[in-house]
Amino acid sequence: MEVIIKPDPEAVSKEAAALFQRQLALKSTSVLGLATGSTPLGFYRELVRRHRDGHVDFAHATTFNLDEYVGLSGDHPMSYRAFMREHLFAQVNMRPDHVHLPDGQTEDIPVHCEDYEDEIRHAGGIDLQLLGIGSDGHIGFNEPSSSLSSRTRLKTLTPRTIADNARFFGSEADVPRHVITMGVGTIMEARQVIVLAMGAGKATAVAAMVEGAITASVPASILQMHPKCALIIDEAAATQLQRADYYRWVYDHKPHWQRP
Ligand code: PGA
């Protein structure tokens, strides 16, 4: 895994946006895996800016989001569909019929999850997947103890994730208990993965992900097995990494042709 430590969240967002810009420049029909939450907000702002400046074109791209709350319609302000519309899709030239998120109001969750997997497969698989990491080490909404080969399915949020996300809903009681999320196995099939993390609250999870044992107790740790995964973090999220200086050294000596 490549670990890139940037001075601040803004630099993290810019590095990630540069990687997405390069991906779309190399392959205009890229299939992008997208994430929601606080972490990618600056990244989406930067992508929109680059789109407005004429550097990023979404006309031929396809997107699949990681997850959605069960019970919320796409019009609910806290739904991830609404989040994506506000922060990216309404501001760039994405074709609405190329946008995919799980449907939180589906009547048959198992069938819908299988269909979601089929749609990813039929689109040719995900070229570049963006991820955040939960303070408990989750990716998507694959909470600790999730099968490391799981597929898209229903998950129950941990009380910790409900507490973490209560800030979006106003109170813990209003946070849905269930979600539909791509599985860990689904995420691992993406050809390239970029994980973003910022702030001291993520430092423990980041260290466990990068330098701990591979375990379902820290679902993000399976990314140690991914052949092309970059973790881009700020200094605050890097404080518990044992080999932080080595990661900086590697980045400083990265060959020119490997840089976005
Ligand atoms: P956050 O969530 O970006 O809101 O911190 C990250 C995640 O849960 O994956």
Side-chain angles (χ1 to χ4, degrees), residues 37-39 132-134 138 167-168 202:
S38 310
T39 304
I133 177 171
H138 72 221
R167 67 191 191 281
F168 300 114
K202 299 291 172 74

Side-chain angles (χ1 to χ4, degrees), residues 4-12 232-237 248 251:
I4 301 174
I5 303 170
K6 290 286 179 181
D8 51 44
E10 197 188 335
V12 170
I232 312 175
I233 56 179
D234 68 354
E235 289 287 354
R248 289 191 186 92
Y251 187 72

Side-chain angles (χ1 to χ4, degrees), residues 136-137 143-148 184 208-209 212-224:
D136 62 3
E143 298 284 30
S145 82
S146 287
S147 158
L148 296 180
V184 180
M209 168 190 168
I214 296 175
T215 167
S217 295
V218 182
S221 64
I222 191 65
L223 291 163
Q224 293 174 31

